Amino acid sequence: MEHTKHLLLFGRVQGVFFRESFAQKADELGITGWIRNLSDGSLEATIQGTEANIDEMIKWARSGPELAQVTRMEITEGSGQFNDFNRLQTL
């Protein structure tokens, strides 16, 4: 069964290859959805996949790539249907 979560990530998450690393991890886990930079320096993502894969993606996102420093993450229920994973530009 597919689950969808909406994430907001705060801290040092822009300029550290977070979006690309997140997308690579999502591809590895078979997760679909999207991620984008927000103008306030945070990241927004919607991810869709199995409960186990979503849990693993969230666990990875709590620390992110090597140079990132995630200070806070907000997780809510998401919506939508996705066929692949997209790296969107800044909102």
Side-chain angles (χ1 to χ4, degrees), residues 48-80:
Q48 187 171 74
T50 66
E51 184 174 7
N53 288 353
I54 292 291
D55 289 346
E56 190 168 337
M57 186 78 232
I58 289 171
K59 180 180 175 184
W60 178 90
R62 290 193 187 280
S63 58
E66 184 178 346
L67 297 175
Q69 184 176 3
V70 178
T71 58
R72 183 171 54 125
M73 184 187 313
E74 295 178 9
I75 305 166
T76 57
E77 292 301 315
S79 62

Side-chain angles (χ1 to χ4, degrees), residues 2-75:
E2 294 282 303
H3 296 271
T4 306
K5 296 290 183 183
H6 180 258
L7 311 175
L8 290 172
L9 298 108
F10 301 89
R12 188 172 61 215
V13 295
Q14 290 189 22
V16 293
F17 300 102
F18 204 111
R19 282 185 306 145
E20 186 59 33
S21 298
F22 190 98
Q24 289 174 2
K25 186 67 173 177
D27 287 344
E28 177 185 314
L29 294 172
I31 287 176
T32 58
W34 53 266
I35 188 166
R36 66 179 169 196
N37 291 335
L38 296 178
S39 60
D40 66 358
S42 63
L43 289 174
E44 178 182 29
T46 296
I47 55 176
Q48 187 171 74
T50 66
E51 184 174 7
N53 288 353
I54 292 291
D55 289 346
E56 190 168 337
M57 186 78 232
I58 289 171
K59 180 180 175 184
W60 178 90
R62 290 193 187 280
S63 58
E66 184 178 346
L67 297 175
Q69 184 176 3
V70 178
T71 58
R72 183 171 54 125
M73 184 187 313
E74 295 178 9
I75 305 166

